[in-house]
Amino acid sequence: MSNDDYGDDSLYADGQDAGIPTAFTPSADHLAHEGPRDVGLVFIGDSLVAGYGDPKGHGWVGRVLGRTQHPDLDLTSYNLGVRGDSSADVLSRWRTEGMLRWRERRERRLVLGVGMHDVDQGLTTARSRLNLANILDDATARGISPFVVGPAPTLDPIVNEKLEVIVEAQSDVCSRRSIPFVDCFFPLVEHDQWLSELASSRDQVHPGQAGYGLLAWLVLHGEWETWLHIQQA
C-alpha cells in the first residue's frame, strides 16, 4: 500500500483549544525544578486499555504502573479505557477527558491504545491512520508527550489480516513523528501462551492474567523508561 492510499496525516482543527496553547511547549521534557517531577499520565483507548477480562482487575495498565513507581516521579495516573472504542471514538474524547486530568500537572503524558475496534467498526486504513495522526499531532502541539501501544492479535485469521495492516500503519505514523510505538501484534500472533489465554477466555478476544502480563512486558520493554526519562535502580 502506498502513502497515497492513506491520505494526508494533517492536524484537524475545530476551534476548541480548552485553554491550552497550540504552540509547542515541551511540558514532558526535563524542566529545571527541585524535587520529584509532577507527571499526569493518562491512558486512553479501548477494552484492552481498560483491562477487560482480567480477573485481578489490573490489566496491562495496572501492571505497568506497578513497575513505574520511581523516587523522581510524583505520578498521577488515569485509566480512560472504554470497551468498544475505536480510534474515531478516542479522537472525539481524548482532549475533553484528558485536559481535566492534566490540569495543574507540570508534565502531561498520553498513552494511547486503539485499533481492535477500528476493525469492528469497519474503518478504512486511511481513516484509522488519520485518526491516530490527528491525536498525536494535536497532543504534541499542546506539549503533551504521546506513547502508542498497538492492538493485540485475535484468534480470527480474517480479523488478524486487517489488524496487521492497522499495526503497520500505526507504526509508520509514529515513526514519522519519532513517537514510541509498542508492537503487540507480531510478538503475540503465534505466541502459545497468548493463544491459550484467548482460547480459554469468555469471549476469546480478551486475555486473562497471563495475557495482560505479556502485554505489560511488551510495554515495559518498549522504550517505556526512556520515554519517562527514568532509570530503575
Side-chain angles (χ1 to χ4, degrees):
M1 180 173 291
S2 69
N3 291 335
D4 292 339
D5 295 323
Y6 297 130
D8 293 331
D9 290 348
S10 57
L11 175 66
Y12 71 98
D14 58 11
Q16 303 293 323
D17 63 10
I20 303 297
T22 56
F24 178 72
T25 53
S27 71
D29 292 338
H30 282 296
L31 302 178
H33 63 277
E34 296 181 357
R37 292 156 46 211
D38 179 18
V39 179
L41 184 56
V42 171
F43 296 82
I44 195 165
D46 57 25
S47 48
L48 287 177
V49 173
Y52 174 73
D54 183 356
K56 291 294 185 180
H58 299 308
W60 68 260
V61 171
R63 288 172 170 81
V64 167
L65 288 172
R67 298 289 301 272
T68 305
Q69 303 307 311
H70 192 277
D72 291 342
L73 295 182
D74 180 7
L75 189 64
T76 307
S77 62
Y78 301 91
N79 189 328
L80 306 182
V82 173
R83 285 183 65 184
D85 260 16
S86 68
S87 61
D89 298 314
V90 172
L91 174 63
S92 70
R93 70 181 177 92
W94 80 270
R95 275 190 294 168
T96 301
E97 297 182 21
M99 293 304 176
L100 293 174
R101 279 79 181 179
W102 285 309
R103 188 167 51 199
E104 299 182 1
R105 299 283 66 79
R106 189 179 186 94
E107 293 186 28
R108 302 186 296 273
R109 293 181 177 271
L110 175 68
V111 182
L112 176 69
V114 291
M116 177 169 60
H117 298 293
D118 287 25
V119 174
D120 297 340
Q121 294 184 17
L123 299 185
T124 65
T125 304
R127 176 51 55 186
S128 180
R129 178 187 178 99
L130 185 59
N131 289 340
L132 177 61
N134 284 341
I135 296 170
L136 299 181
D137 289 345
D138 196 2
T140 302
R142 296 166 187 274
I144 301 162
S145 178
F147 185 102
V148 179
V149 179
T154 72
L155 294 178
D156 188 329
I158 296 176
V159 172
N160 283 347
E161 286 182 8
K162 297 176 181 179
L163 280 175
E164 181 175 343
V165 177
I166 289 175
V167 168
E168 291 173 345
Q170 289 186 350
S171 177
D172 184 60
V173 168
C174 292
S175 177
R176 289 169 182 266
R177 291 158 176 79
S178 299
I179 290 172
F181 174 75
V182 177
D183 173 15
C184 297
F185 182 85
F186 289 103
L188 298 180
V189 70
E190 295 182 353
H191 193 288
D192 289 341
Q193 188 174 32
W194 176 260
L195 298 177
S196 175
E197 281 273 291
L198 294 186
S200 62
S201 70
R202 178 179 300 176
D203 62 3
Q204 298 194 331
V205 174
H206 298 86
Q209 294 181 60
Y212 278 111
L214 290 171
L215 293 175
W217 190 93
L218 290 171
V219 172
L220 288 166
H221 289 79
E223 301 184 50
W224 182 253
E225 293 183 2
T226 300
W227 177 66
L228 282 172
H229 302 298
I230 59 175
Q231 290 184 342
Q232 297 293 348

